[in-house]
Amino acid sequence: MRLTLAIMAMLVCAALAPVYAGGITGQYVEARTCDVWTGACFANAEMNLAGKHAVLAWKIEHGKGLDGLCVVAVVEATDTLGLQQTGLGKAVILVDKRASASQKEQLVALAKKLAGDLAGRILAVESTDIHFEVGLCETGGCARVDAGVARIETGCLGDQHRVCGHEDNFYPPLSQGVESVRAALVKEHTFQGKAFNKTWKDTQRRGAYLGTFAVSD
């Protein structure tokens, strides 16, 4: 019995090793220009009319010598995010100004990997100050990301934010590798850069996710 338990423990450790020993883990925040915590009645009214833009932000806690650094992907899709896309997404990658040249390359590669096809066309890579805060309230839905031209601030969702009466996480998170996700209220979601030839400012939308992420080599 003890031998069996020991073997099982070794198998579990071996399965986790690529992520926690050789991979990257951290915090994740996203906001997009459509509701993600909603019912089908509301989501159907937004499809292909809203939700083609988003800001995805990652803060690395452990892994690859990137501890404490952040990277942000500002994305524009051909169709509402969460639906099947008819073309590759466009992205602007904002990299933590504190990163060295090699760390910058790693952060850009990480953002491209986690964003997938949404970062199919990189329009620009910019270094900037990035401030990333989570856990700003006891109920866990409050976060703030400030990357200069891109900003996210979230708050907690409650019964007062229900419209259809059966709200749930209608769309999955945009980033790969996301775990322990929860929906949040968008208090601010802005992009004021020039790469897309458009800017946006969104507020009081049920369009944010907070969670953790883990990615192996």
Side-chain angles (χ1 to χ4, degrees):
M1 182 65 175
R2 290 182 179 177
L3 180 59
T4 301
L5 291 174
I7 293 173
M8 290 176 64
M10 290 173 65
L11 290 174
V12 170
C13 290
L16 294 177
V19 173
Y20 296 102
I24 298 173
T25 61
Q27 298 289 330
Y28 173 70
V29 176
E30 79 171 52
R32 44 181 134 171
T33 52
C34 68
D35 283 25
V36 299
W37 187 75
T38 186
C41 57
F42 201 89
N44 288 335
E46 288 192 320
M47 288 180 180
N48 289 322
L49 296 176
K52 299 181 181 181
H53 300 91
V55 175
L56 289 62
W58 302 270
K59 181 176 183 178
I60 294 85
E61 293 183 327
H62 304 290
K64 299 297 185 182
L66 301 174
D67 297 17
L69 296 177
C70 305
V71 62
V72 173
V74 185
V75 301
E76 179 180 61
T78 54
D79 306 274
T80 296
L81 292 161
L83 302 180
Q84 184 174 357
Q85 299 296 307
T86 56
L88 291 176
K90 302 175 183 177
V92 174
I93 308 297
L94 305 175
V95 182
D96 201 314
K97 192 175 182 179
R98 298 171 297 164
S100 66
S102 61
Q103 288 174 326
K104 179 178 177 179
E105 291 182 4
Q106 288 180 275
L107 290 170
V108 172
L110 177 65
K112 290 171 67 175
K113 179 176 183 177
L114 295 177
D117 288 344
L118 294 178
R121 294 176 58 193
I122 304 298
L123 301 183
V125 175
E126 304 173 9
S127 293
T128 186
D129 290 319
I130 302 177
H131 302 281
F132 190 121
E133 301 173 278
V134 294
L136 298 178
C137 58
E138 292 183 359
T139 46
C142 305
R144 187 179 298 114
V145 178
D146 186 346
V149 296
R151 292 172 55 90
I152 301 173
E153 184 175 354
T154 70
C156 296
L157 289 165
D159 288 340
Q160 70 272 28
H161 300 113
R162 293 188 181 276
V163 177
C164 299
H166 50 80
E167 277 76 2
D168 202 349
N169 294 348
F170 188 86
Y171 294 113
L174 295 174
S175 173
Q176 299 178 35
V178 175
E179 305 170 341
S180 305
V181 70
R182 66 172 293 166
L185 178 71
V186 170
K187 290 186 173 181
E188 180 181 3
H189 169 204
T190 59
F191 175 67
Q192 302 297 322
K194 299 179 179 179
F196 298 112
N197 292 321
K198 61 174 67 71
T199 61
W200 59 86
K201 183 176 182 179
D202 209 22
T203 186
Q204 298 303 310
R205 184 186 293 279
R206 304 168 300 174
Y209 278 129
L210 282 64
T212 58
F213 75 95
V215 58
S216 59
D217 292 338

